[in-house]
Amino acid sequence: MDGVDVLVIGAGLVGCAAACRLVQAGARVEILEAARPNAGASGANAGSLHFQLERRFLENGEALADQAASILGLNLLAIEEWRGLADELGPDIRVHMRGGLMVAETADEVAILERKVAREVQGGLASRMIDGDAARALAPGLSETVVAASHLEAEGHADPKALTLAFAAAAAARGVRLRRRCRVVAARPVRGGYRLTVETPDGPEDLTAPKILIAAGAWSARIGELFNLHLPLYPVALLMSATERTAPLLDPLIQHVGQRLSMKQAHAGNVLIGGGWPSRMRLDAAGRFDLDRPAEMLASSLRGNLAVAARVFPRVAELNLIRSWTGITAITADQLPLVGAIPQAPGVFVAAGGSAFTLGPTFARLLARRILDEPEERLEIFSPARFGHLNSFMGAAGA
Ligand SMILES: Cc1cc2nc3c(=O)[nH]c(=O)nc-3n(C[C@H](O)[C@H](O)[C@H](O)COP(=O)(O)OP(=O)(O)OC[C@H]3O[C@@H](n4cnc5c(N)ncnc54)[C@H](O)[C@@H]3O)c2cc1C
């Protein structure tokens, strides 16, 4: 072995945060990054801290919504994690946890919200139903079409790019080497661990370590293939837009239970508008989804996203849009994150999928314990073992 305990693949938020927690616990860690920190979803996301059950969990029927509610335990841990991050990492990460509203405009949407809040309260989250006027008191300027909202005081937003860099800096301060332009292209088991082959500007290189963490976001399934594993993570391309800066206009995070919408005013004054409107993935020369090129923006998504934003919060329509962009993230078959040890490849771990801006720091803290063989039950429901059947005929030979 090369004197490193854990090789982390990917320098997005998850890889940098995990490296930080691992080195704090005494492990020797190196991060291998194909491009640069924040090259993936961590540099493109909306920065929402959404601890209420997300709309995507609610729009596919009650059975999936019930299953998705199992994420609430992690959301509760994430609230505590985020409360400590500004103190730990400094003010640049711009943590703003002053409340979030998920709004409803129709009676059907109110009914969905009520069921959602009931699930959340049962799961220990302090969300509550409020009427339209109470929502407008918390977010003056919210449209009269809003008839009710669920409110959670702990929600909010932070600066996504700054967070990744803050974790990377904290890890570096403890000796973690982050290798940019260092793409993992092959993996094979060797005695006592794994050998990874990386492509660097200076040519290929082999690196070995007893343990590997796949933290490669939407690329994680491709990394899984290097280990002869199926990781059921699917890339999805989403749209984001930002307005020009303006004076303080919107304090809470706004989401919509019946429409795709997330909206917040970032620290610099820009209003960020997103909420999961799709973009179209490009294809590479081999006809596969091209994860290295930005997805194509869809005019219908842009129009739809801005229309909902303007209807729910009309004053946003007075602002100039300065930028729209797409980003690629990963979802799993059951929408829950994939975090933990991979049974078919001892010593290989994965952390990907889900809303990993909100949850990434918590994945990192818990998974670091798991990687270092400390007892950690709280990740069990996110374990790759739940998709073990996909790898019944696969699997890296034991290390
Ligand atoms: C538009 C958009 C909006 C979003 N909004 C929110 C939000 O508001 N709140 C929220 O909680 N979540 C949000 N998300 C999801 C969130 O951004 C992601 O879950 C999170 O950033 C994932 O971080 P990551 O570190 O796992 O992956 P990434 O940030 O994608 O990092 C993966 C890294 O792996 C590297 N890599 C890939 N292949 C290799 C290789 N072979 N060798 C070495 N390195 C490699 C990549 O270059 C990349 O830097 C959003 C996502 C998008 C796209």
Side-chain angles (χ1 to χ4, degrees):
M1 299 293 113
D2 295 331
V4 171
D5 300 312
V6 187
L7 287 168
V8 175
I9 305 175
L13 169 58
V14 174
C16 292
C20 181
R21 296 308 179 210
L22 284 163
V23 73
Q24 284 172 341
R28 294 162 301 172
V29 185
E30 196 162 299
I31 309 175
L32 312 174
E33 165 54 48
R36 62 192 183 285
N38 281 329
S42 301
N45 73 58
S48 305
L49 301 177
H50 34 59
F51 305 113
Q52 300 187 53
L53 288 173
E54 294 170 60
R55 179 181 182 276
R56 67 189 171 98
F57 291 143
L58 308 172
E59 65 187 0
N60 295 307
E62 292 298 298
L64 266 182
D66 281 340
Q67 185 188 29
S70 59
I71 203 161
L72 285 169
L74 194 65
N75 289 6
L76 289 169
L77 292 174
I79 291 172
E80 291 314 310
E81 182 75 29
W82 273 99
R83 287 200 168 118
L85 281 180
D87 281 346
E88 181 186 354
L89 298 174
D92 287 355
I93 63 171
R94 308 291 184 195
V95 180
H96 178 100
M97 292 170 75
R98 290 167 51 100
L101 295 168
M102 189 176 286
V103 303
E105 294 179 283
T106 68
D108 284 350
E109 289 170 358
V110 174
I112 297 172
L113 263 193
E114 283 171 342
R115 287 199 296 277
K116 178 187 82 74
V117 168
R119 279 193 185 93
E120 289 168 348
V121 169
Q122 197 178 11
L125 201 71
S127 56
R128 61 187 179 121
M129 287 297 295
I130 57 176
D131 64 20
D133 287 340
R136 278 179 286 279
L138 291 168
L142 202 61
S143 164
E144 289 292 329
T145 60
V146 170
V147 292
S150 56
H151 176 239
L152 181 67
E153 274 182 6
E155 282 192 322
H157 51 88
D159 183 328
K161 289 186 187 170
L163 182 65
T164 307
L165 298 180
F167 271 121
R174 288 180 175 254
V176 172
R177 182 178 181 204
L178 191 164
R179 299 187 57 175
R180 293 166 170 77
R181 298 169 71 196
C182 180
R183 182 181 291 270
V184 177
V185 294
R188 64 177 181 279
V190 293
R191 184 183 295 274
Y194 292 86
R195 172 165 298 137
L196 303 183
T197 303
V198 294
E199 275 176 0
T200 77
D202 301 323
E205 203 179 315
D206 283 344
L207 304 164
T208 55
K211 293 181 178 173
I212 307 292
L213 170 58
I214 302 173
W219 291 264
S220 296
R222 302 266 167 96
I223 303 289
E225 290 172 13
L226 303 181
F227 290 87
N228 195 41
L229 291 167
H230 291 303
L231 296 182
L233 287 154
Y234 305 94
V236 288
L238 305 177
L239 173 70
M240 283 299 307
S241 295
T243 71
E244 63 186 323
R245 295 176 184 191
T246 187
L249 181 69
L250 181 59
D251 195 36
L253 169 70
I254 305 288
Q255 298 180 86
H256 198 302
V257 72
Q259 305 281 323
R260 291 175 195 267
L261 178 68
S262 77
M263 188 164 36
K264 70 194 68 76
Q265 187 166 22
H267 173 78
N270 314 79
V271 177
L272 303 183
I273 301 168
W277 286 77
S279 303
R280 182 181 290 126
M281 307 272 300
R282 296 177 201 273
L283 299 180
D284 63 18
R288 303 175 82 191
F289 285 137
D290 190 340
L291 304 178
D292 292 319
R293 280 197 301 157
E296 190 186 331
M297 203 176 295
L298 299 176
S300 54
S301 284
L302 185 57
R303 274 197 303 272
N305 201 175
L306 299 181
V308 181
R311 192 180 74 232
V312 168
F313 196 78
R315 288 176 63 190
V316 80
E318 296 163 16
L319 301 171
N320 290 309
L321 203 65
I322 58 166
R323 191 162 91 87
S324 295
W325 66 95
T326 63
I328 300 175
T329 189
I331 57 167
T332 59
D334 61 5
Q335 303 227 53
L336 296 177
L338 193 66
V339 186
I342 302 176
Q344 292 80 3
V348 182
F349 300 80
V350 62
S355 291
F357 178 65
T358 303
L359 300 177
T362 311
F363 295 167
R365 184 179 292 282
L366 302 184
L367 188 58
R369 291 170 52 79
R370 184 77 183 74
I371 293 172
L372 299 178
D373 299 320
E374 291 172 35
E376 184 46 76
E377 301 298 319
R378 292 168 291 184
L379 285 176
E380 282 313 298
I381 54 169
F382 309 110
S383 166
R386 73 189 191 275
F387 296 115
H389 54 285
L390 298 176
N391 285 314
S392 303
F393 308 103
M394 312 293 287

